[in-house]
Amino acid sequence: MKRARGGAIVLFLLLAVDFGIAQNTIGKADGFHVGVILDLGSPVGKVARTSVLLAVQDFYAAHRNYSTKLVLHVRDSMGSDIKAASAAIELLENYKVQAIIGPQKSSEVVFISKLGNITQVPIVSFTATSPSLTCDSMPYFVQATPDDSAQVNSIASLVQAYGWREVVAVYDDTDYGRGIVPYLTDALQKIDVRVPYRSVIPSSATSETIIKKLIELMAMQTRVFIVHMSSTMTSLLFMKAKELGMMNQGFAWITTSGVANIMDTLNPRVIKAMNGVLGVRYHVSRSQELDNLSKRWNKMYLQDNPDESPSNKLSIVGLWGYDTIWALARAAEKVGVSNTTNKPLLSIKNSTCLESMTISTKGHELLKTIVQNKFKGFSGEFDLTYRQQHKAYVFQIINVVGRGWREIGFWTMKSGLSRQLKQDGFKKTGQQSMHDLNPVIWPGESTKIPMGWEIPAVGKKLRVGVRSSKIPEFIKTYKDPVKNATTVSGLTVDIFEEAVKRLPFPLSYEYLEFDTTDTRSYNDFVYHVYLQEYDIAVADITIRYNRSLYVDFTVPYTESGVGMIVPVKENVMKDVWLFLKPLSTEMWIGSIILFMYTGVVVWLLEYLNGSEHVHEEKLECFLPRIVLRVWMVVLLVLAASYTASFASMLTVHKLSPTVNDVQELQKNGEYVGFHQGSYIEGLLVEIGFDTSKLKSYATLEDFYSALSNGSIVAVVLDIPYIKLFLAKYNKGYAMVGPIYKSAGFAFALPKNSPLCVEMSRAILNITGGDIIIHFEKKWIDQNSHENDGTLDGSGAITFESFGGLFLLTGVVTTCSPFVAMLMNRYKEDQQDPGNKGDDQNEFGHKQVKKRRHVKNKEMKTENELREINNTVSASQFEQKW
C-alpha cells in the first residue's frame, strides 16, 4: 500500500473513463454527473466497479423514457486517503459532480464528507462500514450499507456456542478497524467472555511487523482470534500465520463480514492458508432474477479483469453497489439536472484548490430524495432512512475448506444460530446452539472443537505461588539459595501435581514462594493472584466470599466445614441400678410378659390334655414340652447377651466432650484458640466473642500445649486440620461440630481463567478415586483412633434385637392351645361311636374305664422313667446355666 507524501495537497488526476451509459438508448437525456472513488486494485474495489457499471446499464435499459442519465466518472484512490481526497476535489472542480459514490474506506470518508458538507454534495458509500460514520457532523454522508456493529451479536453467539471464555481481537489501526471494537467488546461481555488482549496491526504494517505481532499472540494462553481487517491485510496475516504454525490444531479464527463477504475473490493461496477459519457474512436469498444478474455480472467482471479467476462470484458488496446506483438514478430523475449556475464558495484565505468549487443548488433536495427512496433490491429491502441501511439482517456462518468454503449455519436476531433458516422464532442459546450447526473442520484439518486456550510452548512458565503452612503436612516450602529454586511438599502439593498430570494438555510451571516473614495473611496471598503476580495460588486456602470477589477458586480438594477440638471427660459407672442397664426398658417389659404368657399357656396345655399332675413340675404332654424348650432357647440367648453387655459396661470407660456448643463458650467467656492468619478469627468475632478471649497459634503442637495447660478451653479449626490433630493426639480430645459451614480448601486463579475449569475437573477426578485415600494415608494417619472420645449410645440391648426369637416363641406358644383343643376333640369323637342303647353305653363305659385303668398303669410306669430322664436333664441344664 502506497501513500502520497508531501506538505501540500497535489491534485492527482487519475486515468479514468467517463461513462455516458445511456447515450445509445437515450439520445437527448440530460447528463447527471456522478463521481465514483474506489480502490481499483483491491478485491472490494474490483467488485464494486463492475457492479455500478452494470447497474447503470440495467437501470436505463429498464427506464428508456427517463429524461436524465447518470454519467459516472470513476477514479482510483489506490488505497490512499490523500489520493481519494484529491480525486474528490478534482471531480467537484472539473466535472461539477452532483453526487459522489464512495469513497471505499472509512478513513477516506472523514475528509471527503467535509467537502460534501461544504459543497452540499451528497456522499454515498456502500463500502465504508465504520459505526462512527453516522454522526451529525456529516450531514451529507449516506451509509448505503449496514455498519459493522450489526454483526457483533452473531459473532458473540458463535463464541458462546463453542464454549470459549476468552478471545483476542485482531484489527488494523484504522477507522474501519477501531470502529467495531467497543461494540464487539460489549457483546462479548454480555455473555461473560473476556477480551484480555487486543492486537492492533498498523495500517502500513510489513511482513516483519505482522510476524512480530503473531509471535506475541503465540506467547499467550488464548487461542481464539477475531480478525477485523481489510482484505489486503487479512491475506497477509493468514499467510504469515500459516508459516508460524498458527493454523494448526488448537487454534480458532473468526473473520468478520468485511473479508467473509468477498471470500470468493481472494487469492487461492490465501484461501488455502485460511483453511479452518470461520466467517460471518451477510446472506441473500437465492432467486432466478439474482442468478441471471450473477451471470451477466461474471461476464462483465472477467472483461474488466481478464487476469482474475473465473470462479469469482457476485457478493453482497456488489449487490449493495448495484442497488445504490438504482436509488441514485431514481433520485436524479425526480430532482433533475440543475440548469442554474451553482453558487460560488465564500472566499477562503490562502486557498489554492478549493476556490474554484461551488455549492450545489439541488444538493439538499437530492439528499432528501435519496434517503426517502425505499424499494426491494437484490440485496433485500433497500431503506436509507436516517442516512443508513436499517433492517433485520440474516448472517451466514461459513467454514473455509479446501479451495473454497462451505455453509455451517445461519444467525438471525429472532432465532439465533441454526443449521437451516428457521421462521418459528424458537431461539437456542449457549452451547446448545452448537449442536444445531453443521460440523466444522478446524485448523489443522481437525474435527475436535478447539479448547480456546492452552499454555503456550513458548513464553513464560505458569507461575505457581506457594505459601508455607504452619501445619507442614499440608504444604511446606523450602528455597534453595544455591539453585534459587523453590521445593515444596505436602498433601496440597501432591494433589496439585497429580491434577496437572491429568490435564488434557502439557503444563509447564514453576513454584514461586510467598514471603510470610511479616506474618502476612492468606488474604494477602490470594490478593497477589489478583495483582497478576501469580497465575495460580497453591496452599491450604479456604474458599471465602470476600476472596471470591478478586479470584476464582477450583472445586475444593478437602472436606468442608469448621469444627471444635475440646477435651473429653470420663464418665464413671456408679449407678446402683447398673444391672438393669444391659437391657432396655422395652426389653425388660417384653421378656416379663412373654415369660408369664408362656407359663399360662403351658398350664393350659396340661389342663386340656387331662393331666392328673397339672399342678406339679412334671410335664406329661408333648405340646407343653415343645413350648418350654423354645422358650429355653430364647432364655439361653438372652442370658448370654445380657452377660456380654453387662461385662462391657463394667470394663469400658465412657468419654464425653467437656463442651458441646460454641455459644456456650461465648456465654461463659472462655478462651478459644484459632489458626494464626486464618479467617476463623473474624468468624468468632461475628459470633460474639471478645477479641481478648481469642488466642492465635501457629502449629498443632501449640494447640496441644495450650489445651493441655488450660490456656484455652477449645480450638476452632477447619475440619481438615482437626482430622490431622486427632490423628496425632487422639487420646483425651474429640471433635464437636461442624459448627459452621465452609467450602473447604481449594486453589485460587485469576478471574475467568480458563485453567480453573480444567483444574476443577482434574480435582474431581482425584477426589472421586482411590488416589486421594493414598495421599491422605501418606500425610494423615488414617489408622488412628480419632473417634475414641465420641459417644455411640448407651449400648443397651433393645427389644428389636430379639424380635425374631420373641416372634418364634410367641407363635409356637400361641398355636399350641389350639392344637391341644383339636386333639381333645378328635379323641372325644373316637370315644363316642354314636346313638346306641343304654346297655351298650353302660357296657361301653365299663370297657372304657377298664382300658383307661390299664392305660394309667402303663403311663405311670412310663412317667417314672421319664422323671428319671428329666432329673438328669435338669441337672445338666443347671450346670450349663
Side-chain angles (χ1 to χ4, degrees):
M1 187 184 298
K2 297 182 179 179
R3 197 181 281 273
R5 292 179 175 86
I9 297 177
V10 179
L11 296 177
F12 187 84
L13 182 61
L14 299 170
L15 181 62
V17 179
D18 296 344
F19 296 90
I21 297 298
Q23 60 185 1
N24 295 328
T25 58
I26 313 174
K28 297 182 179 180
D30 295 328
F32 193 96
H33 294 273
V34 177
V36 180
I37 303 175
L38 298 170
D39 181 4
L40 298 180
S42 67
V44 173
K46 294 177 181 179
V47 170
R49 179 179 182 272
T50 301
S51 297
V52 297
L53 296 180
L54 181 61
V56 172
Q57 289 182 4
D58 290 350
F59 183 84
Y60 290 109
H63 302 85
R64 296 179 180 273
N65 60 339
Y66 271 32
S67 61
T68 60
K69 68 183 179 74
L70 298 184
V71 179
L72 303 184
H73 304 272
V74 182
R75 298 292 181 268
D76 186 1
S77 67
M78 298 183 180
S80 168
D81 294 353
I82 295 178
K83 290 182 179 180
S86 299
I89 294 174
E90 184 261 338
L91 290 170
L92 290 170
E93 284 184 340
N94 297 340
Y95 294 93
K96 302 296 187 287
V97 294
Q98 299 183 57
I100 294 178
I101 301 296
Q104 181 174 320
K105 294 166 54 180
S106 299
S107 57
E108 298 168 354
V109 170
V110 177
F111 178 76
I112 295 178
S113 63
K114 292 181 179 179
L115 293 178
N117 296 343
I118 296 173
T119 60
Q120 297 184 6
V121 172
I123 310 296
V124 184
S125 175
F126 57 89
T127 55
T129 57
S130 176
S132 62
L133 298 178
T134 58
C135 60
D136 295 334
S137 61
M138 303 176 182
Y140 279 84
F141 173 71
V142 179
Q143 199 169 24
T145 176
D147 65 51
D148 290 326
S149 64
Q151 61 185 310
V152 295
N153 288 326
S154 62
I155 296 174
S157 296
L158 203 58
V159 172
Q160 187 182 31
Y162 292 106
W164 298 320
R165 301 296 303 276
E166 288 186 353
V167 300
V168 171
V170 183
Y171 56 93
D172 47 23
D173 192 15
T174 62
D175 292 339
Y176 166 75
R178 293 186 298 267
I180 196 176
V181 174
Y183 300 92
L184 179 62
T185 304
D186 290 344
L188 293 172
Q189 286 179 348
K190 290 179 181 178
I191 59 172
D192 197 24
V193 173
R194 295 177 62 239
V195 184
Y197 181 73
R198 301 174 184 177
S199 181
V200 184
I201 309 296
S203 58
S204 59
T206 61
S207 297
E208 292 73 17
T209 304
I210 290 181
I211 290 175
K212 182 179 179 181
K213 290 289 185 179
L214 290 175
I215 292 176
E216 292 177 0
L217 297 179
M218 291 181 65
M220 300 177 183
Q221 294 184 3
T222 309
R223 288 292 180 262
V224 182
F225 307 104
I226 299 176
V227 180
H228 182 67
M229 303 169 67
S230 66
S231 58
T232 303
M233 296 300 294
T234 299
S235 299
L236 182 59
L237 176 78
F238 280 108
M239 293 292 289
K240 297 306 175 183
K242 180 73 172 179
E243 294 177 6
L244 294 176
M246 296 183 70
M247 299 305 296
N248 295 332
Q249 183 176 354
F251 289 86
W253 297 83
I254 301 175
T255 62
T256 57
S257 61
V259 171
N261 285 337
I262 58 170
M263 189 66 67
D264 297 316
T265 65
L266 297 180
N267 188 291
R269 292 194 307 116
V270 175
I271 294 178
K272 185 177 180 180
M274 292 179 66
N275 270 211
V277 174
L278 296 181
V280 176
R281 57 185 281 162
Y282 290 90
H283 172 70
V284 178
S285 300
R286 305 297 302 179
S287 65
Q288 185 63 44
E289 293 79 5
L290 181 59
D291 291 341
N292 294 334
L293 175 65
S294 298
K295 292 178 182 178
R296 290 183 285 109
W297 184 92
N298 289 336
K299 182 179 180 180
M300 178 177 284
Y301 183 85
L302 291 177
Q303 291 175 353
D304 296 339
N305 307 278
D307 297 332
E308 294 289 329
S309 171
S311 62
N312 291 333
K313 298 178 182 178
L314 177 60
S315 66
I316 186 65
V317 176
L319 296 179
W320 285 331
Y322 189 94
D323 290 343
T324 298
I325 291 295
W326 277 59
L328 182 59
R330 289 180 177 181
E333 181 67 17
K334 290 182 179 180
V335 174
V337 177
S338 176
N339 294 323
T340 60
T341 305
N342 292 339
K343 300 178 183 179
L345 287 174
L346 296 176
S347 176
I348 302 176
K349 187 176 182 180
N350 299 328
S351 174
T352 59
C353 59
L354 299 180
E355 54 191 8
S356 60
M357 290 190 296
T358 58
I359 299 175
S360 174
T361 57
K362 291 192 175 182
H364 180 73
E365 184 181 357
L366 178 63
L367 175 66
K368 183 178 179 181
T369 306
I370 291 174
V371 298
Q372 291 177 348
N373 198 350
K374 300 178 183 180
F375 62 94
K376 184 173 178 60
F378 282 104
S379 63
E381 294 296 332
F382 196 82
D383 181 6
L384 297 180
T385 306
Y386 306 112
R387 295 183 287 117
Q388 186 183 22
Q389 274 275 33
H390 287 282
K391 74 171 188 175
Y393 288 96
V394 176
F395 288 95
Q396 185 182 30
I397 312 301
I398 64 172
N399 179 205
V400 182
V401 179
R403 297 181 179 180
W405 55 270
R406 64 190 186 95
E407 175 184 288
I408 67 169
F410 298 89
W411 183 92
T412 63
M413 183 64 72
K414 184 177 181 181
S415 301
L417 290 172
S418 60
R419 184 174 302 181
Q420 301 291 338
L421 274 178
K422 298 187 300 183
Q423 305 296 332
D424 54 8
F426 179 74
K427 186 175 184 179
K428 290 184 179 180
T429 58
Q431 291 185 269
Q432 291 181 346
S433 58
M434 175 191 65
H435 304 292
D436 204 26
L437 296 173
N438 289 315
V440 176
I441 298 178
W442 302 97
E445 298 183 355
S446 172
T447 57
K448 182 181 179 182
I449 299 175
M451 190 167 53
W453 73 280
E454 65 181 33
I455 302 300
V458 296
K460 299 180 180 179
K461 296 181 179 180
L462 189 76
R463 299 167 301 171
V464 182
V466 289
R467 183 188 195 278
S468 283
S469 174
K470 298 298 182 180
I471 304 177
E473 287 81 0
F474 281 92
I475 182 169
K476 181 180 180 180
T477 65
Y478 169 72
K479 186 71 172 290
D480 188 341
V482 178
K483 298 181 179 180
N484 195 27
T486 301
T487 304
V488 291
S489 62
L491 174 65
T492 300
V493 176
D494 284 356
I495 293 176
F496 169 74
E497 293 180 348
E498 181 64 25
V500 171
K501 294 178 183 177
R502 302 193 181 203
L503 293 175
F505 48 85
L507 180 63
S508 177
Y509 59 90
E510 60 179 345
Y511 291 117
L512 302 177
E513 186 179 22
F514 179 71
D515 185 14
T516 58
T517 55
D518 55 352
T519 64
R520 289 193 288 180
S521 67
Y522 280 79
N523 288 339
D524 298 327
F525 179 47
V526 171
Y527 194 68
H528 276 64
V529 177
Y530 173 75
L531 296 177
Q532 298 184 355
E533 295 183 15
Y534 303 136
D535 298 317
I536 184 173
V538 174
D540 45 348
I541 307 169
T542 304
I543 302 174
R544 296 289 294 163
Y545 168 75
N546 62 321
R547 296 171 182 172
S548 67
L549 298 176
Y550 300 95
V551 297
D552 283 343
F553 288 99
T554 63
V555 295
Y557 61 85
T558 62
E559 293 183 45
S560 61
V562 177
M564 288 194 304
I565 301 174
V566 297
V568 293
K569 59 184 177 182
E570 182 178 355
N571 295 332
V572 181
M573 293 294 186
K574 297 180 181 181
D575 191 355
V576 296
W577 299 101
L578 182 61
F579 73 94
L580 295 176
K581 299 295 184 182
L583 300 183
S584 64
T585 303
E586 295 83 359
M587 188 65 179
W588 281 112
I589 295 174
S591 300
I592 293 172
I593 292 175
L594 282 175
F595 182 82
M596 297 173 62
Y597 177 65
T598 303
V600 171
V601 172
V602 169
W603 178 86
L604 180 61
L605 291 174
E606 286 291 302
Y607 176 78
L608 291 175
N609 281 278
S611 175
E612 297 179 355
H613 306 282
V614 70
H615 298 293
E616 299 179 6
E617 296 180 0
K618 298 181 296 181
L619 298 178
E620 298 180 357
C621 300
F622 174 74
L623 286 174
R625 291 198 299 272
I626 292 296
V627 172
L628 187 60
R629 277 173 169 72
V630 173
W631 176 245
M632 289 172 62
V633 171
V634 176
L635 287 179
L636 282 173
V637 177
L638 182 60
S641 301
Y642 177 90
T643 303
S645 180
F646 192 44
S648 175
M649 289 183 176
L650 293 174
T651 57
V652 177
H653 298 289
K654 289 297 178 180
L655 303 176
S656 63
T658 55
V659 180
N660 290 306
D661 187 7
V662 68
Q663 299 293 343
E664 181 181 347
L665 294 173
Q666 187 265 331
K667 291 178 181 179
N668 297 335
E670 303 288 358
Y671 286 94
V672 176
F674 64 92
H675 193 201
Q676 183 178 349
S678 172
Y679 70 97
I680 298 293
E681 180 181 10
L683 174 62
L684 294 174
V685 172
E686 290 180 5
I687 293 175
F689 279 88
D690 191 336
T691 54
S692 62
K693 299 295 182 180
L694 302 178
K695 296 184 177 182
S696 63
Y697 298 93
T699 65
L700 296 182
E701 290 74 14
D702 295 338
F703 289 123
Y704 178 71
S705 299
L707 288 170
S708 300
N709 59 32
S711 299
I712 55 177
V713 175
V715 176
V716 179
L717 291 174
D718 288 287
I719 286 181
Y721 294 146
I722 295 178
K723 288 180 61 178
L724 183 59
F725 181 92
L726 294 178
K728 287 187 173 184
Y729 311 106
N730 57 76
K731 299 298 182 182
Y733 299 98
M735 183 184 81
V736 175
I739 63 172
Y740 184 79
K741 293 291 184 180
S742 69
F745 295 165
F747 306 139
L749 297 97
K751 278 286 187 181
N752 299 307
S753 171
L755 182 60
C756 187
V757 176
E758 298 298 331
M759 287 294 293
S760 295
R761 289 196 184 108
I763 292 172
L764 288 174
N765 193 2
I766 294 172
T767 56
D770 296 333
I771 189 68
I772 189 65
I773 299 176
H774 170 72
F775 288 155
E776 289 183 347
K777 284 184 177 181
K778 176 182 177 181
W779 298 101
I780 303 174
D781 185 9
Q782 292 295 311
N783 297 321
S784 63
H785 304 286
E786 59 186 68
N787 293 321
D788 282 355
T790 60
L791 297 176
D792 298 325
S794 64
I797 301 173
T798 62
F799 184 83
E800 288 79 5
S801 303
F802 278 75
L805 288 173
F806 285 160
L807 179 62
L808 175 62
T809 185
V811 170
V812 173
T813 304
T814 303
C815 293
S816 295
F818 294 102
V819 175
M821 287 188 289
L822 291 174
M823 292 176 64
N824 285 340
R825 182 61 181 269
Y826 176 77
K827 289 179 181 179
E828 290 176 358
D829 291 344
Q830 291 294 324
Q831 292 172 2
D832 189 6
N835 296 326
K836 296 183 179 181
D838 294 337
D839 293 338
Q840 292 178 341
N841 289 339
E842 182 178 356
F843 176 77
H845 284 303
K846 288 181 179 180
Q847 291 297 325
V848 171
K849 186 175 183 181
K850 185 176 180 180
R851 285 196 301 269
R852 184 176 293 173
H853 177 71
V854 174
K855 185 177 180 180
N856 287 338
K857 287 183 178 181
E858 293 175 355
M859 290 180 64
K860 184 175 182 182
T861 304
E862 184 180 351
N863 289 336
E864 289 176 355
L865 294 175
R866 194 179 289 118
E867 183 177 357
I868 294 173
N869 292 332
N870 290 338
T871 303
V872 175
S873 298
S875 300
Q876 293 176 351
F877 177 79
E878 290 174 357
Q879 292 176 359
K880 193 170 184 179
W881 181 269

